[in-house]
Amino acid sequence: MTYKVAISFDRCKITSVTCGCGNKDIFYCAHVVALSLYRIRKPDQVKLRLPISETLFQMNRDQLQKFVQYLITAHHTEVLPTAQKLADEILSSNSEINQVHGAPDPTAGASIDDENCWHLDEEQVREQVKLFLSQGGYYGSGKQLNSMFAKVREMLRMRDSNGARMLTLITEQFMADPRLSLWRQQGTGITEKCRQLWDELGALWVCVVLNPHCKLEEKSCWLRQLRKWGEMDVCPLEDGNYGNELPNITNALTQSSGHSQDSLARPRRTVFTRAIEGCDLHWQDSHLQRIISSDFYVSPSYQREGESLLFNSQGQPLWLEHVPTACARVDALRSHGYPREALRLTVAIINTLRLQQQRQLEIYKHQKKELLQRGATTITNLEGWVGHPLNPIGCLFLTLTEACRLEEENCLEISDAGDSKPPVYQHVPVVTGSQDGDESYLSLALEVALMGMGQQRVMPEGLYAQDKVCRNEEQIIARLQDLELDPVLVQTLRKQCILLLEGGPFSGLGEVIHRESVPMHTFAKYLFSALLPHDADLAYKLALRAMRLVHACFSPRFSRLLDVPTKTGDMLRLRTVLEAIQKNIHSSSLIFKLAQDAFKIATPADSNSDTTLLNVALELGLQVMRMTLSTLNWRRREMVRWLVTCATEVGVRALVSILQSWYSLFTPTEATSIVAATVMSHNTILRLSLDYPQREELASCARTLALQCAMKDPQNCALSALTLCEKDHIAFETAYQIVIDAASTGMTYTQLFTIARYMEHRGYPLRAFKLASLAMTHLNLAYNQDTHPAINDVLWACALSHSLGKNELAAIIPLVVKSVHCATVLSDILRRCTMTAPGLAGIPGRRNSGKLMSTDKAPLRQLLDATISAYINTTHSRLTHISPRHYGEFIEFLSKARETFLLAQDGHIQFAQFIDNLKQIYKGKKKLMLLVRERFG
């Protein structure tokens, strides 16, 4: 195929493109790319011409006339109308075209002060983001949106002004996501995948507004936009809640004991708040300018008054800004293509953190005695760096490791497993004015990651924020595991671990901690395995400190939950570990993670399970169930399923126990649809290889649970209860009775029809009939609801009654007449009832008379009358606001009505009267009445 492609350039940028292929995407189609590459690789093959206005300027009058006429002849079908219109305008003295001096020239390029930026198809950006959002995070749409964010970062790094424009378009679509108002009305949190995308959006805006070289008017324009979005009530909040549940204490300004603050006093912080605050920051500070512009900026030999705050004792510059804010500057420098500057600021931040760590250690040494006596501490860090919206630690770590990456020839190759290979790093010495021989950017990266994760900080409120802490911690640890620990890094690791153990209230692994502080077990687990080969003693000290145990009753072998092998007979010590967890950890998601860890270790693939540890896992799991029973938790289903798996692994006694105490662990729906159903499944029976008495005991417990749940919540549990009680006559009868009792009050017709169909399927047609009759009493179908989802149920109920016999049909018809006012549905039922004789279900003692029923006698007479009057009412309803385009359809409707009228003995007379009536009442609708006359006389 040949395509026509046009590309406009301006100052080395492609400013617009068109292509005949019509392919729509955010970026250029293959043909535009091909032409651009051709132009780059073979510049001499593409002739460079003067702008057309210059060429025309050189022609005389005859040449211009010739030029125009030839041009029109070559394209006369397309150009002629335009040419004539222009000719008319040029010859008319007062036309608009003659008021303007000169004429446009599309080949001349823009003027020097015009904006020039890369072409971006804005409509496509909107379309794509809308499409990905509508897929709700499925089918890799989350990946697609992340790659769009990455594209924005790439544009920022290339200093392409479209970066901010593209981010604006993305944000507009995010704000227009219809799910936002839905989530807000329901008071449910945003889904996990979506939250992460919103976080990235917020972080990107911080990067944009911190661009060191943006113009003031750009910044004020962004600020207006961000404020506008932030004020919308659907705007997601920073801590992941919709503000109705929990106050937010991640505000750096409330450094007082922020826990007791009234939530109303706290400003509403949205995902854009950080960016809005970022608009107040600037880069004019002369000390900051010097830090980022030179590797060799050191303190003068004579420090002036006040300069001691700017440098450490080695003369290296410090940067004393609030840490997350300072790191946001680093991220902005990195993102806008200033890697050297980002690295210099990072080193100044780390020098500051080290100095603070030293000072905090000295303060602690003075207060140590008093604090240890009190055994508790207040926390100064209300805003932890791990799990922070700006990801300060991740940002510093990446900036430092990027400077140490060994770019291999084939680093882009993907291994067979589809994972990219872990990065390879080398030590790159830190360039500073005062050289410390051992310092490398890589050892700084390790050091800052350890400092950040070891920081003692309050566990944030709200499940989302807590989960974010865990996720961020896991991300940092995964990056640390990519580092090969050579002697230099081992030395950094040991030094930091010792500082963390001695660090008092500033360290999460210090001797005194606040009871609400973030648990350190995941971090300690990493430290333990990293240190073990190099310094076993230090490793054990850390593991124990992380468990917060009194070491007197407990030898170092027992941090078993941290992967330390245990000997049998260590029941007592393991119980101590368990109690320590239960006492010290207040977050359900962390306890769940611990329970899963313990379960994994207790059930190795290649050997027998460790019963003791399995019981620990189960006990922790039960604790999580109790903690999350009455709170909304998006991981609840997963937790319940996991608990049943764990109990199955422990054995039949554990299963009996959870079935018997279900009400303290599960909701009725969970208990029947997940717990009992899984316990009774074929897989569980096989897995446990149970004998008959054990199987009976389990089944009996499951049935008791099912009946209790059906009593408590018949709407959601009745069907599950019947299924679970199928094999036991008495239990099944009881469950059925519960349904009948609840039918009049607590159940909808949909639920009753579902159970009725189930009854028929199980071979209980009379019970199905009873439930169907009860369902009918809850139903009301209006005249125009001819596509209502319950119609199938009504038809099924009538077919069932018909198959049972004349009496049942006679019993259901009055209910149908009362509930259904839709003529087409009624005539459908009537037709089906007159096609065959009733009573085909073959119930013993019942005989099918083989006679068709007459529409003149009860019960069908009542149905016929109701159908005819439904047709009459519907006709009048439709005629009150009918438009001509529906006339044909209406005539067809009347023909259908006639078929029903004719089933009555005097039906033709009734129908004729009905038509006469219509002609009288609606004589104003002449055209329609003409059609009625044509068809019905």
Side-chain angles (χ1 to χ4, degrees):
M1 292 287 286
T2 306
Y3 295 106
K4 290 189 174 175
V5 183
I7 301 182
S8 302
F9 297 92
D10 182 8
R11 283 158 275 185
C12 301
K13 295 191 181 82
I14 293 178
T15 53
S16 75
V17 304
T18 55
C19 177
C21 73
N23 287 348
K24 281 292 188 188
D25 197 357
I26 296 172
F27 308 114
Y28 312 143
C29 67
H31 319 109
V32 168
V33 175
L35 179 58
S36 312
L37 290 175
Y38 183 82
R39 168 74 174 71
I40 291 165
R41 288 174 183 166
K42 302 188 177 171
D44 44 344
Q45 299 284 315
V46 179
K47 194 168 175 195
L48 192 62
R49 295 174 173 278
L50 286 172
I52 194 80
S53 47
E54 292 289 320
T55 315
L56 295 173
F57 189 67
Q58 293 166 18
M59 296 183 187
N60 62 29
R61 187 180 174 316
D62 287 350
Q63 287 171 316
L64 281 170
Q65 177 142 15
K66 202 171 205 169
F67 172 76
V68 173
Q69 284 179 283
Y70 266 97
L71 183 65
I72 292 174
T73 307
H75 304 284
H76 71 277
T77 48
E78 297 112 278
V79 174
L80 196 58
T82 314
Q84 288 187 314
K85 182 169 151 282
L86 287 172
D88 292 347
E89 289 188 12
I90 287 170
L91 292 173
S92 151
S93 58
N94 57 355
S95 68
E96 197 176 328
I97 211 168
N98 285 324
Q99 312 300 314
V100 182
H101 191 65
D105 178 359
T107 61
S111 89
I112 195 74
D113 24 342
D114 279 2
E115 275 291 298
N116 67 322
C117 67
W118 286 95
H119 167 71
L120 174 73
D121 189 337
E122 301 195 351
E123 199 37 54
Q124 273 311 106
V125 175
R126 288 195 189 95
E127 284 305 306
Q128 299 249 323
V129 177
K130 200 171 176 174
L131 173 71
F132 296 144
L133 282 172
S134 70
Q135 293 168 351
Y138 302 109
Y139 318 115
S141 60
K143 245 201 200 97
Q144 303 278 10
L145 287 165
N146 274 320
S147 75
M148 288 179 86
F149 288 147
K151 195 76 200 165
V152 172
R153 283 192 184 271
E154 193 184 320
M155 288 170 160
L156 297 179
R157 199 164 55 247
M158 306 299 285
R159 304 183 199 162
D160 173 354
S161 58
N162 274 322
R165 181 74 200 119
M166 181 157 162
L167 187 59
T168 305
L169 298 169
I170 294 175
T171 310
E172 281 167 354
Q173 291 307 315
F174 264 68
M175 288 301 294
D177 187 345
R179 292 174 299 169
L180 287 179
S181 52
L182 201 71
W183 284 323
R184 192 167 182 277
Q185 284 158 10
Q186 296 168 348
T188 49
I190 297 182
T191 58
E192 180 64 6
K193 280 204 176 93
C194 226
R195 275 281 357 165
Q196 291 172 21
L197 292 168
W198 274 102
D199 285 351
E200 176 61 12
L201 196 66
L204 266 173
W205 272 112
V206 174
C207 262
V208 168
V209 303
L210 280 180
N211 176 355
H213 289 297
C214 74
K215 302 190 186 80
L216 269 175
E217 55 268 32
E218 273 182 303
K219 203 184 248 191
S220 59
C221 175
W222 293 329
L223 183 60
R224 273 200 306 279
Q225 256 175 353
L226 290 163
R227 284 202 171 124
K228 192 180 83 193
W229 291 324
E231 281 158 11
M232 289 166 73
D233 56 358
V234 293
C235 186
L237 301 188
E238 185 177 81
D239 59 359
N241 298 310
Y242 264 117
N244 51 356
E245 303 137 25
L246 297 160
N248 170 19
I249 54 144
T250 59
N251 190 344
L253 309 172
T254 54
Q255 285 286 342
S256 63
S257 61
H259 250 51
S260 58
Q261 263 191 309
D262 175 12
S263 59
L264 294 175
R266 272 194 206 95
R268 175 173 175 268
R269 292 187 67 82
T270 71
V271 285
F272 301 116
T273 303
R274 306 256 167 198
I276 290 169
E277 291 167 351
C279 290
D280 294 338
L281 299 173
H282 60 80
W283 296 84
Q284 271 68 62
D285 182 278
S286 60
H287 180 56
L288 176 62
Q289 286 292 332
R290 289 195 186 112
I291 290 175
I292 62 178
S293 53
S294 159
D295 284 322
F296 303 105
Y297 173 44
V298 290
S299 72
S301 41
Y302 299 105
Q303 285 195 354
R304 289 196 295 281
E305 187 61 39
E307 275 192 343
S308 59
L309 288 175
L310 304 183
F311 301 94
N312 64 13
S313 54
Q314 288 89 53
Q316 297 164 314
L318 304 171
W319 181 242
L320 292 167
E321 197 168 30
H322 172 60
V323 176
T325 309
C327 297
R329 286 185 191 274
V330 172
D331 194 23
L333 288 168
R334 238 180 87 232
S335 305
H336 289 283
Y338 302 96
R340 294 293 325 159
E341 289 80 350
L343 208 51
R344 290 170 189 144
L345 182 54
T346 299
V347 174
I349 293 170
I350 291 177
N351 284 331
T352 315
L353 292 179
R354 282 175 172 166
L355 189 66
Q356 285 174 351
Q357 200 179 34
Q358 283 309 123
R359 287 188 183 154
Q360 287 168 348
L361 204 56
E362 283 156 25
I363 294 169
Y364 174 56
K365 279 177 184 153
H366 291 299
Q367 304 172 337
K368 187 170 181 173
K369 206 166 149 195
E370 176 202 345
L371 278 175
L372 283 173
Q373 278 169 347
R374 268 211 318 241
T377 174
T378 53
I379 280 193
T380 49
N381 296 319
L382 290 177
E383 184 170 61
W385 301 333
V386 172
H388 187 284
L390 300 174
N391 188 10
I393 300 300
C395 159
L396 297 183
F397 186 83
L398 276 178
T399 307
L400 291 161
T401 49
E402 271 172 12
C404 305
R405 262 186 108 135
L406 257 181
E407 289 302 343
E408 295 176 34
E409 290 300 299
N410 54 0
C411 69
L412 288 175
E413 276 183 28
I414 304 289
S415 68
D416 299 341
D419 318 322
S420 46
K421 289 193 199 147
V424 182
Y425 298 113
Q426 60 185 353
H427 282 286
V428 176
V430 177
V431 192
T432 59
S434 55
Q435 204 64 47
D436 173 355
D438 266 352
E439 290 274 89
S440 88
Y441 291 118
L442 199 56
S443 60
L444 286 188
L446 174 62
E447 184 176 347
V448 80
L450 299 175
M451 272 185 187
M453 295 213 291
Q455 173 202 35
Q456 184 176 174
R457 54 202 186 269
V458 170
M459 192 64 175
E461 299 182 43
L463 284 170
Y464 175 71
Q466 292 179 10
D467 228 75
K468 198 160 152 188
V469 170
C470 296
R471 215 176 35 246
N472 195 198
E473 195 170 43
E474 280 163 11
Q475 283 163 353
I476 298 171
I477 288 174
R479 294 215 174 105
L480 288 179
Q481 284 164 337
D482 287 340
L483 301 181
E484 288 276 320
L485 290 181
D486 59 11
V488 178
L489 293 183
V490 169
Q491 191 189 346
T492 307
L493 178 68
R494 288 193 55 215
K495 189 173 144 198
Q496 253 327 301
C497 284
I498 293 165
L499 283 169
L500 285 172
L501 284 172
E502 293 173 355
F506 303 99
S507 156
L509 290 162
E511 290 170 272
V512 190
I513 62 155
H514 186 278
R515 62 180 288 280
E516 293 298 329
S517 73
V518 172
M520 288 282 143
H521 66 276
T522 316
F523 178 42
K525 191 166 158 180
Y526 161 75
L527 293 177
F528 181 82
S529 46
L531 268 174
L532 204 55
H534 309 287
D535 186 338
D537 274 356
L538 190 54
Y540 282 120
K541 261 191 197 143
L542 272 163
L544 275 175
R545 183 63 69 75
M547 293 302 296
R548 296 280 149 207
L549 294 172
V550 190
H551 32 79
C553 65
F554 191 47
S555 77
R557 278 206 313 285
F558 285 101
S559 36
R560 173 54 208 262
L561 285 178
L562 302 168
D563 285 355
V564 186
T566 143
K567 293 202 175 66
T568 48
D570 288 331
M571 289 288 285
L572 179 78
R573 284 158 174 161
L574 205 50
R575 285 229 70 80
T576 324
V577 174
L578 182 62
E579 280 158 26
I581 293 167
Q582 290 171 328
K583 187 162 128 245
N584 292 307
I585 298 178
H586 307 290
S587 146
S588 57
S589 44
L590 284 169
I591 297 181
F592 183 51
K593 196 174 173 321
L594 267 180
Q596 287 176 304
D597 284 353
F599 182 74
K600 268 197 202 99
I601 302 163
T603 51
D606 47 2
S607 63
N608 292 339
S609 300
D610 175 334
T611 325
T612 319
L613 197 53
L614 252 182
N615 277 305
V616 169
L618 180 63
E619 208 161 317
L620 290 174
L622 293 170
Q623 186 181 347
V624 173
M625 288 294 104
R626 287 189 284 267
M627 285 169 89
T628 55
L629 177 59
S630 54
T631 57
L632 270 177
N633 187 322
W634 54 275
R635 295 184 66 183
R636 180 76 191 172
R637 270 186 90 78
E638 177 199 347
M639 289 168 164
V640 175
R641 286 183 193 289
W642 177 87
L643 186 84
V644 180
T645 309
C646 181
T648 308
E649 209 52 50
V650 174
V652 70
R653 303 292 354 125
L655 288 176
V656 167
S657 159
I658 66 169
L659 290 175
Q660 287 175 341
S661 54
W662 69 269
Y663 45 85
S664 65
L665 304 168
F666 315 109
T667 64
T669 316
E670 288 168 348
T672 51
S673 65
I674 306 178
V675 184
T678 312
V679 171
M680 294 312 294
S681 70
H682 190 57
N683 285 353
T684 309
I685 309 287
L686 280 181
R687 176 90 193 80
L688 292 171
S689 54
L690 303 178
D691 57 21
Y692 183 72
Q694 288 175 315
R695 279 209 298 250
E696 265 315 289
E697 182 184 14
L698 263 188
S700 155
C701 288
R703 288 194 290 265
T704 308
L705 169 148
L707 294 174
Q708 290 169 340
C709 294
M711 289 288 285
K712 207 170 168 62
D713 182 2
Q715 281 197 328
N716 296 310
C717 302
L719 189 59
S720 304
L722 285 163
T723 315
L724 287 163
C725 295
E726 264 173 14
K727 297 207 174 65
D728 182 283
H729 179 65
I730 296 173
F732 189 74
E733 285 302 316
T734 314
Y736 173 65
Q737 208 42 58
I738 292 171
V739 175
I740 295 292
D741 293 345
S744 54
T745 50
M747 299 183 76
T748 64
Y749 61 80
T750 315
Q751 289 160 334
L752 289 168
F753 275 130
T754 309
I755 298 171
R757 288 191 169 206
Y758 159 84
M759 280 294 180
E760 188 202 26
H761 183 66
R762 304 303 312 162
Y764 295 104
L766 284 167
R767 290 181 172 188
F769 167 74
K770 179 158 188 186
L771 287 166
S773 306
L774 286 166
M776 288 298 298
T777 61
H778 290 264
L779 180 67
N780 187 13
L781 277 186
Y783 78 91
N784 55 357
Q785 290 183 298
D786 49 3
T787 56
H788 194 284
I791 291 173
N792 279 335
D793 288 319
V794 174
L795 293 175
W796 167 81
C798 293
L800 173 73
S801 314
H802 186 272
S803 72
L804 287 173
K806 199 171 170 181
N807 298 347
E808 283 75 13
L809 191 59
I812 203 132
I813 281 176
L815 300 176
V816 171
V817 167
K818 197 166 173 211
S819 306
V820 180
H821 306 108
C822 180
T824 49
V825 178
L826 289 168
S827 62
D828 199 359
I829 296 170
L830 189 61
R831 193 174 48 78
R832 291 171 187 222
C833 290
T834 51
M835 277 164 65
T836 54
L840 302 174
I843 289 185
R846 293 268 186 98
R847 296 216 342 273
N848 169 14
S849 64
K851 274 201 228 146
L852 291 178
M853 293 173 74
S854 153
T855 50
D856 277 343
K857 297 201 183 81
L860 290 190
R861 178 75 217 192
Q862 189 186 356
L863 182 58
L864 177 60
D865 290 346
T867 312
I868 289 175
S869 76
Y871 269 118
I872 293 172
N873 292 337
T874 307
T875 302
H876 288 301
S877 299
R878 287 179 69 163
L879 282 173
T880 48
H881 43 72
I882 192 167
S883 68
R885 62 162 190 228
H886 292 128
Y887 285 176
E889 201 183 296
F890 176 73
I891 297 294
E892 287 314 308
F893 174 75
L894 282 184
S895 304
K896 281 261 185 315
R898 177 163 62 182
E899 287 169 21
T900 302
F901 272 84
L902 294 181
L903 291 173
Q905 274 209 320
D906 55 349
H908 57 290
I909 300 169
Q910 275 195 49
F911 187 72
Q913 279 174 347
F914 173 51
I915 294 290
D916 283 345
N917 236 340
L918 292 184
K919 290 181 204 158
Q920 268 314 105
I921 302 173
Y922 300 103
K923 55 176 181 259
K925 299 185 189 295
K926 290 196 178 66
K927 186 155 181 235
L928 178 59
M929 288 309 129
L930 194 69
L931 293 172
V932 170
R933 259 194 213 93
E934 269 174 23
R935 175 72 71 93
F936 305 108

